Amino acid sequence: DGGITQSPKYLFRKEGQNVTLSCEQNLNHDAMYWYRQDPGQGLRLIYYSQIVNDFQKGDIAEGYSVSREKKESFPLTVTSAQKNPTAFYLCASRPGLEQPEQFFGPGTRLTVL
Amino acid sequence: AQSVAQPEDQVNVAEGNPLTVKCTYSVSGNPYLFWYVQYPNRGLQFLLKYITGDNLVKGSYGFEAEFNKSQTSFHLKKPSALVSDSALYFCAVRAGSSNTGKLIFGQGTTLQVKP
């Protein structure tokens, strides 16, 4: 899991509530990514950011929002508009284009009650 | 469109036997290929990558993978499996021309190594 931390490890939310998942890295990596993992579906990209103050939608951005105000931090907000938010959320970072592999945090398991 | 397929949901192998986890890909241009491993309720750990060069790539924990351009495959292998290798394995691909670093992941293959 390296120098990428995610908190909390487990999160419970009532329907209709927004929640924010934290992702912090001390690796000085430029790019950061958020994925959602559901059983049997692999990882799907929600949002990504290649530089501070800039981010792009991934394949399943609806119902999610992000910010990238600092290089070290890339928080993900799961809004009430996300119809099925219960999942395992993974944050990743990448040093730069010359090193294409991504490094992952330990994940946050979100359960909607 | 880019895609990755892992045709087996689960692979079972006896400890000490060789293992293979299969991956095929579809991407325009030269592919960057990756293997990751995930233990229960943990993040993904990087195992190895292929960008260019030798078709046989060696990685962490004794794993290796063979890139086959004609068959568009990148199978993960290990000569002698350990019970501790039991985990979920993901193959991923990135188009070499991509400057976003976006990876496309397969659906994962569960490896079960029995004593």
Side-chain angles (χ1 to χ4, degrees), chain A residues 81-108:
Chain A
Q82 169 49 232
K83 299 304 180 189
N84 185 21
T86 294
F88 191 50
Y89 290 87
L90 289 159
C91 178
S93 68
R94 176 177 60 84
L97 286 174
E98 69 288 348
Q99 193 168 351
E101 63 269 31
Q102 295 177 18
F103 298 92
F104 285 79
T108 292

mmCIF file of all heavy atoms in Angstrom, chain A residues 81-108:
data_model
loop_
_atom_site.group_PDB
_atom_site.id
_atom_site.type_symbol
_atom_site.label_atom_id
_atom_site.label_comp_id
_atom_site.label_asym_id
_atom_site.label_seq_id
_atom_site.Cartn_x
_atom_site.Cartn_y
_atom_site.Cartn_z
ATOM 1 N N ALA A 81 -26.984 11.444 -5.139
ATOM 2 C CA ALA A 81 -27.400 11.132 -6.516
ATOM 3 C C ALA A 81 -26.849 9.798 -7.005
ATOM 4 O O ALA A 81 -27.306 9.269 -8.023
ATOM 5 C CB ALA A 81 -26.936 12.241 -7.458
ATOM 6 N N GLN A 82 -25.893 9.240 -6.294
ATOM 7 C CA GLN A 82 -25.326 7.944 -6.679
ATOM 8 C C GLN A 82 -26.321 6.872 -6.233
ATOM 9 O O GLN A 82 -26.562 6.680 -5.036
ATOM 10 C CB GLN A 82 -23.964 7.742 -6.038
ATOM 11 C CG GLN A 82 -23.374 6.335 -6.132
ATOM 12 C CD GLN A 82 -23.397 5.738 -7.523
ATOM 13 O OE1 GLN A 82 -23.863 4.632 -7.722
ATOM 14 N NE2 GLN A 82 -22.894 6.482 -8.490
ATOM 15 N N LYS A 83 -26.866 6.149 -7.207
ATOM 16 C CA LYS A 83 -27.988 5.235 -6.935
ATOM 17 C C LYS A 83 -27.598 3.991 -6.170
ATOM 18 O O LYS A 83 -28.380 3.434 -5.406
ATOM 19 C CB LYS A 83 -28.651 4.835 -8.250
ATOM 20 C CG LYS A 83 -29.235 5.999 -9.035
ATOM 21 C CD LYS A 83 -30.220 6.782 -8.203
ATOM 22 C CE LYS A 83 -30.790 7.955 -8.999
ATOM 23 N NZ LYS A 83 -31.597 8.850 -8.134
ATOM 24 N N ASN A 84 -26.397 3.514 -6.386
ATOM 25 C CA ASN A 84 -25.976 2.268 -5.743
ATOM 26 C C ASN A 84 -24.554 2.421 -5.216
ATOM 27 O O ASN A 84 -23.610 1.870 -5.787
ATOM 28 C CB ASN A 84 -26.061 1.118 -6.753
ATOM 29 C CG ASN A 84 -25.746 -0.220 -6.117
ATOM 30 O OD1 ASN A 84 -25.841 -0.381 -4.908
ATOM 31 N ND2 ASN A 84 -25.335 -1.168 -6.932
ATOM 32 N N PRO A 85 -24.363 3.155 -4.144
ATOM 33 C CA PRO A 85 -23.013 3.506 -3.708
ATOM 34 C C PRO A 85 -22.276 2.436 -2.908
ATOM 35 O O PRO A 85 -21.072 2.573 -2.693
ATOM 36 C CB PRO A 85 -23.247 4.743 -2.842
ATOM 37 C CG PRO A 85 -24.620 4.562 -2.306
ATOM 38 C CD PRO A 85 -25.401 3.859 -3.369
ATOM 39 N N THR A 86 -22.962 1.410 -2.470
ATOM 40 C CA THR A 86 -22.292 0.380 -1.675
ATOM 41 C C THR A 86 -21.242 -0.316 -2.525
ATOM 42 O O THR A 86 -21.564 -0.927 -3.550
ATOM 43 C CB THR A 86 -23.313 -0.653 -1.157
ATOM 44 O OG1 THR A 86 -24.191 0.008 -0.240
ATOM 45 C CG2 THR A 86 -22.618 -1.802 -0.453
ATOM 46 N N ALA A 87 -19.978 -0.210 -2.128
ATOM 47 C CA ALA A 87 -18.865 -0.752 -2.911
ATOM 48 C C ALA A 87 -17.572 -0.561 -2.135
ATOM 49 O O ALA A 87 -17.546 0.056 -1.062
ATOM 50 C CB ALA A 87 -18.755 -0.062 -4.280
ATOM 51 N N PHE A 88 -16.509 -1.087 -2.705
ATOM 52 C CA PHE A 88 -15.150 -0.900 -2.181
ATOM 53 C C PHE A 88 -14.484 0.143 -3.061
ATOM 54 O O PHE A 88 -14.446 0.004 -4.286
ATOM 55 C CB PHE A 88 -14.403 -2.244 -2.240
ATOM 56 C CG PHE A 88 -13.098 -2.275 -1.502
ATOM 57 C CD1 PHE A 88 -13.014 -1.841 -0.191
ATOM 58 C CD2 PHE A 88 -11.955 -2.765 -2.096
ATOM 59 C CE1 PHE A 88 -11.818 -1.898 0.509
ATOM 60 C CE2 PHE A 88 -10.750 -2.826 -1.415
ATOM 61 C CZ PHE A 88 -10.681 -2.389 -0.115
ATOM 62 N N TYR A 89 -13.989 1.232 -2.433
ATOM 63 C CA TYR A 89 -13.424 2.337 -3.189
ATOM 64 C C TYR A 89 -11.910 2.360 -3.021
ATOM 65 O O TYR A 89 -11.393 2.339 -1.902
ATOM 66 C CB TYR A 89 -14.033 3.662 -2.733
ATOM 67 C CG TYR A 89 -15.473 3.796 -3.142
ATOM 68 C CD1 TYR A 89 -16.495 3.297 -2.337
ATOM 69 C CD2 TYR A 89 -15.821 4.402 -4.345
ATOM 70 C CE1 TYR A 89 -17.820 3.395 -2.727
ATOM 71 C CE2 TYR A 89 -17.143 4.514 -4.735
ATOM 72 C CZ TYR A 89 -18.135 4.000 -3.922
ATOM 73 O OH TYR A 89 -19.449 4.094 -4.315
ATOM 74 N N LEU A 90 -11.216 2.440 -4.151
ATOM 75 C CA LEU A 90 -9.763 2.406 -4.149
ATOM 76 C C LEU A 90 -9.196 3.669 -4.771
ATOM 77 O O LEU A 90 -9.634 4.100 -5.835
ATOM 78 C CB LEU A 90 -9.260 1.192 -4.932
ATOM 79 C CG LEU A 90 -9.495 -0.147 -4.259
ATOM 80 C CD1 LEU A 90 -9.458 -1.278 -5.262
ATOM 81 C CD2 LEU A 90 -8.442 -0.371 -3.181
ATOM 82 N N CYS A 91 -8.219 4.227 -4.100
ATOM 83 C CA CYS A 91 -7.492 5.388 -4.593
ATOM 84 C C CYS A 91 -6.117 4.928 -5.063
ATOM 85 O O CYS A 91 -5.531 3.999 -4.486
ATOM 86 C CB CYS A 91 -7.365 6.416 -3.468
ATOM 87 S SG CYS A 91 -6.438 7.896 -3.895
ATOM 88 N N ALA A 92 -5.609 5.534 -6.110
ATOM 89 C CA ALA A 92 -4.297 5.171 -6.625
ATOM 90 C C ALA A 92 -3.554 6.429 -7.062
ATOM 91 O O ALA A 92 -4.168 7.480 -7.298
ATOM 92 C CB ALA A 92 -4.427 4.212 -7.809
ATOM 93 N N SER A 93 -2.248 6.319 -7.172
ATOM 94 C CA SER A 93 -1.446 7.427 -7.688
ATOM 95 C C SER A 93 -0.357 6.902 -8.602
ATOM 96 O O SER A 93 -0.039 5.706 -8.590
ATOM 97 C CB SER A 93 -0.833 8.240 -6.535
ATOM 98 O OG SER A 93 0.148 7.475 -5.844
ATOM 99 N N ARG A 94 0.186 7.800 -9.412
ATOM 100 C CA ARG A 94 1.204 7.430 -10.397
ATOM 101 C C ARG A 94 2.229 8.547 -10.458
ATOM 102 O O ARG A 94 1.865 9.715 -10.504
ATOM 103 C CB ARG A 94 0.532 7.224 -11.747
ATOM 104 C CG ARG A 94 1.447 6.930 -12.893
ATOM 105 C CD ARG A 94 0.629 6.669 -14.163
ATOM 106 N NE ARG A 94 -0.191 7.804 -14.541
ATOM 107 C CZ ARG A 94 0.220 8.839 -15.253
ATOM 108 N NH1 ARG A 94 1.476 8.907 -15.648
ATOM 109 N NH2 ARG A 94 -0.605 9.817 -15.574
ATOM 110 N N PRO A 95 3.524 8.187 -10.472
ATOM 111 C CA PRO A 95 4.553 9.235 -10.412
ATOM 112 C C PRO A 95 4.521 10.194 -11.590
ATOM 113 O O PRO A 95 4.618 11.398 -11.407
ATOM 114 C CB PRO A 95 5.856 8.427 -10.406
ATOM 115 C CG PRO A 95 5.486 7.070 -9.960
ATOM 116 C CD PRO A 95 4.098 6.839 -10.443
ATOM 117 N N GLY A 96 4.416 9.646 -12.806
ATOM 118 C CA GLY A 96 4.476 10.481 -13.996
ATOM 119 C C GLY A 96 4.347 9.601 -15.221
ATOM 120 O O GLY A 96 4.249 8.386 -15.125
ATOM 121 N N LEU A 97 4.339 10.203 -16.373
ATOM 122 C CA LEU A 97 4.125 9.452 -17.607
ATOM 123 C C LEU A 97 5.234 8.426 -17.855
ATOM 124 O O LEU A 97 5.000 7.392 -18.476
ATOM 125 C CB LEU A 97 4.035 10.409 -18.792
ATOM 126 C CG LEU A 97 2.737 11.208 -18.897
ATOM 127 C CD1 LEU A 97 2.830 12.219 -20.026
ATOM 128 C CD2 LEU A 97 1.536 10.298 -19.094
ATOM 129 N N GLU A 98 6.434 8.721 -17.350
ATOM 130 C CA GLU A 98 7.551 7.816 -17.595
ATOM 131 C C GLU A 98 7.456 6.550 -16.739
ATOM 132 O O GLU A 98 8.187 5.597 -16.967
ATOM 133 C CB GLU A 98 8.872 8.547 -17.323
ATOM 134 C CG GLU A 98 9.137 8.873 -15.866
ATOM 135 C CD GLU A 98 8.270 9.981 -15.309
ATOM 136 O OE1 GLU A 98 7.612 10.670 -16.115
ATOM 137 O OE2 GLU A 98 8.239 10.169 -14.083
ATOM 138 N N GLN A 99 6.588 6.535 -15.755
ATOM 139 C CA GLN A 99 6.389 5.355 -14.914
ATOM 140 C C GLN A 99 4.900 5.050 -14.912
ATOM 141 O O GLN A 99 4.146 5.636 -14.133
ATOM 142 C CB GLN A 99 6.901 5.601 -13.499
ATOM 143 C CG GLN A 99 7.013 4.335 -12.682
ATOM 144 C CD GLN A 99 7.790 4.544 -11.380
ATOM 145 O OE1 GLN A 99 8.383 5.596 -11.162
ATOM 146 N NE2 GLN A 99 7.764 3.540 -10.520
ATOM 147 N N PRO A 100 4.453 4.132 -15.771
ATOM 148 C CA PRO A 100 3.016 4.008 -16.016
ATOM 149 C C PRO A 100 2.223 3.241 -14.967
ATOM 150 O O PRO A 100 1.007 3.309 -14.950
ATOM 151 C CB PRO A 100 2.972 3.281 -17.359
ATOM 152 C CG PRO A 100 4.227 2.471 -17.367
ATOM 153 C CD PRO A 100 5.247 3.307 -16.667
ATOM 154 N N GLU A 101 2.895 2.485 -14.086
ATOM 155 C CA GLU A 101 2.120 1.706 -13.126
ATOM 156 C C GLU A 101 1.542 2.603 -12.042
ATOM 157 O O GLU A 101 2.125 3.622 -11.673
ATOM 158 C CB GLU A 101 2.957 0.586 -12.503
ATOM 159 C CG GLU A 101 4.151 1.044 -11.697
ATOM 160 C CD GLU A 101 5.415 1.140 -12.536
ATOM 161 O OE1 GLU A 101 5.318 1.433 -13.753
ATOM 162 O OE2 GLU A 101 6.506 0.931 -11.984
ATOM 163 N N GLN A 102 0.373 2.188 -11.552
ATOM 164 C CA GLN A 102 -0.287 2.907 -10.474
ATOM 165 C C GLN A 102 -0.086 2.157 -9.171
ATOM 166 O O GLN A 102 0.030 0.931 -9.149
ATOM 167 C CB GLN A 102 -1.777 3.051 -10.780
ATOM 168 C CG GLN A 102 -2.047 3.913 -11.997
ATOM 169 C CD GLN A 102 -3.507 4.008 -12.352
ATOM 170 O OE1 GLN A 102 -4.391 3.715 -11.537
ATOM 171 N NE2 GLN A 102 -3.794 4.447 -13.560
ATOM 172 N N PHE A 103 -0.062 2.915 -8.084
ATOM 173 C CA PHE A 103 0.103 2.351 -6.750
ATOM 174 C C PHE A 103 -1.156 2.657 -5.951
ATOM 175 O O PHE A 103 -1.655 3.777 -5.984
ATOM 176 C CB PHE A 103 1.340 2.937 -6.082
ATOM 177 C CG PHE A 103 2.607 2.624 -6.822
ATOM 178 C CD1 PHE A 103 3.097 3.486 -7.783
ATOM 179 C CD2 PHE A 103 3.288 1.438 -6.591
ATOM 180 C CE1 PHE A 103 4.245 3.184 -8.501
ATOM 181 C CE2 PHE A 103 4.437 1.129 -7.281
ATOM 182 C CZ PHE A 103 4.919 1.998 -8.246
ATOM 183 N N PHE A 104 -1.635 1.647 -5.238
ATOM 184 C CA PHE A 104 -2.954 1.734 -4.624
ATOM 185 C C PHE A 104 -2.911 1.904 -3.117
ATOM 186 O O PHE A 104 -2.014 1.386 -2.438
ATOM 187 C CB PHE A 104 -3.760 0.472 -4.959
ATOM 188 C CG PHE A 104 -4.279 0.451 -6.369
ATOM 189 C CD1 PHE A 104 -3.438 0.115 -7.422
ATOM 190 C CD2 PHE A 104 -5.583 0.801 -6.640
ATOM 191 C CE1 PHE A 104 -3.904 0.110 -8.733
ATOM 192 C CE2 PHE A 104 -6.066 0.805 -7.934
ATOM 193 C CZ PHE A 104 -5.230 0.458 -8.986
ATOM 194 N N GLY A 105 -3.920 2.596 -2.601
ATOM 195 C CA GLY A 105 -4.154 2.653 -1.177
ATOM 196 C C GLY A 105 -4.893 1.417 -0.708
ATOM 197 O O GLY A 105 -5.252 0.555 -1.507
ATOM 198 N N PRO A 106 -5.166 1.327 0.604
ATOM 199 C CA PRO A 106 -5.784 0.128 1.173
ATOM 200 C C PRO A 106 -7.283 0.026 0.957
ATOM 201 O O PRO A 106 -7.869 -1.029 1.194
ATOM 202 C CB PRO A 106 -5.468 0.244 2.655
ATOM 203 C CG PRO A 106 -5.326 1.708 2.881
ATOM 204 C CD PRO A 106 -4.730 2.260 1.626
ATOM 205 N N GLY A 107 -7.928 1.103 0.511
ATOM 206 C CA GLY A 107 -9.345 1.042 0.204
ATOM 207 C C GLY A 107 -10.259 1.465 1.339
ATOM 208 O O GLY A 107 -9.888 1.438 2.516
ATOM 209 N N THR A 108 -11.465 1.890 0.960
ATOM 210 C CA THR A 108 -12.549 2.207 1.902
ATOM 211 C C THR A 108 -13.776 1.426 1.470
ATOM 212 O O THR A 108 -14.182 1.500 0.313
ATOM 213 C CB THR A 108 -12.880 3.709 1.901
ATOM 214 O OG1 THR A 108 -11.800 4.441 2.444
ATOM 215 C CG2 THR A 108 -14.145 3.980 2.724
#
